[in-house]
Amino acid sequence: MILLSILAMTLVVFLSRYLFLAPTLPLKLGSEVKRFLKYSSPAILTVILAPIMFLEGESQQLMPLVNPYLIAAVIATLLAWKTANVLLTTGVSFVAFLLMNVFWG
Amino acid sequence: MSDIVEQRGNDNRSLMWQGTVAMMPLSIAVVPWGLLAGSYAVESGLLVIEAQALSAILFAGAAQLVAIGMFNTGASLVTMLITTFFITSRHLLYSVAMRETISPLPLRWRLTLGFLLTDELFALIGHRQTSFNRYYALGAGLSFYLIWNLASFVGIIGGSVIPNLDSLGLDFAIVATFIALVVPNVKTKPVLLTVLVALVSSVVLHRLQVNGALMIASLVAMIAGYAAERYGVGVSTESSQDIDKEKRG
């Protein structure tokens, strides 16, 4: 029964990932829709990362504004802006974050 | 001729490797989640094979955790499917956004990349549609899939002896990677507006624990960016108003 439920849920998840990739789906994306979809990537990525920076994981309460997440995120933003290098940005800001996380009050 | 084939094979392998490397920060960030998903499943009384099947075939972190919770409480199948749909609905947005690049590919590529189309894979390939490469995407998606399943397996086998990784804050790797992917693409005011609206609306909606916060905040931010581009009015004042809103909230 559990395996069957897992299969049924898999179908829902897979269909939501695959639906619009199917060329048989009679849908032509007009130029306005494409213009709109251009914003999906910055929108979704920011929406996913924002709560991690500002809210406590469990309670969803606002964290103090000065916290390791936010400071390291500012460092990452500056690095990404100046260098546009993904690995450098991720590496340096992550090390900065870990150091702050260890030594934070 | 055979040289050309071999050359191409090497190129594809090297592209898959590039995708794997580019995905690495996100793969590392997902390890604690995988451990958690695995150990939580077994603690909740699922069999090893059921627990691994969640990661191997459902392959959706948040939906897996919620599913386990519902197995625990004995929710009905319909409830589970509706809940799953709400959690997973954001993937519809990914598949629309990737339609131009992935739908012309052969069936096996569409099925494979569709199956692998997680938040993380979309993060990596969603903003570089023009330079899309299927092997790069496959390397990124497949390596992520393997690490997710390995982490789940370790969680299933040794969940009770693994120390609490939450306190390490590995989720910052997600923040860092996403920032590194988003910021260099903020080249116009409408994109900047999108990012600012996404930031504020996401924090507010998650703070209020609104169902479907992710989807709603994403759509609001996309509409803001699109409207700014389309009608080109008051971009800078709108964004400063949003920051004011956040301060008051």
Side-chain angles (χ1 to χ4, degrees), chain B residues 143-181:
Chain B
S143 60
F144 186 77
Y145 176 80
L146 290 177
I147 289 173
W148 173 250
N149 272 280
L150 266 177
S152 312
F153 182 68
V154 174
I156 290 168
I157 299 302
S160 47
V161 293
I162 295 168
N164 182 12
L165 287 168
D166 281 2
S167 55
L168 280 180
L170 287 184
D171 50 356
F172 181 76
I174 300 175
V175 176
T177 313
F178 284 14
I179 287 176
L181 293 170

Side-chain angles (χ1 to χ4, degrees), chain B residues 72-113:
Chain B
N72 258 340
T73 55
S76 72
L77 183 58
V78 176
T79 311
M80 282 200 254
L81 292 183
I82 293 173
T83 312
T84 307
F85 176 75
F86 275 109
I87 298 170
T88 197
S89 56
R90 66 183 185 280
H91 294 110
L92 289 169
L93 210 49
Y94 303 163
S95 79
V96 183
M98 297 307 298
R99 181 173 172 84
E100 285 286 303
T101 36
I102 296 184
S103 75
L105 300 180
L107 180 67
R108 62 197 166 95
W109 280 98
R110 293 202 308 270
L111 291 175
T112 309
L113 293 180

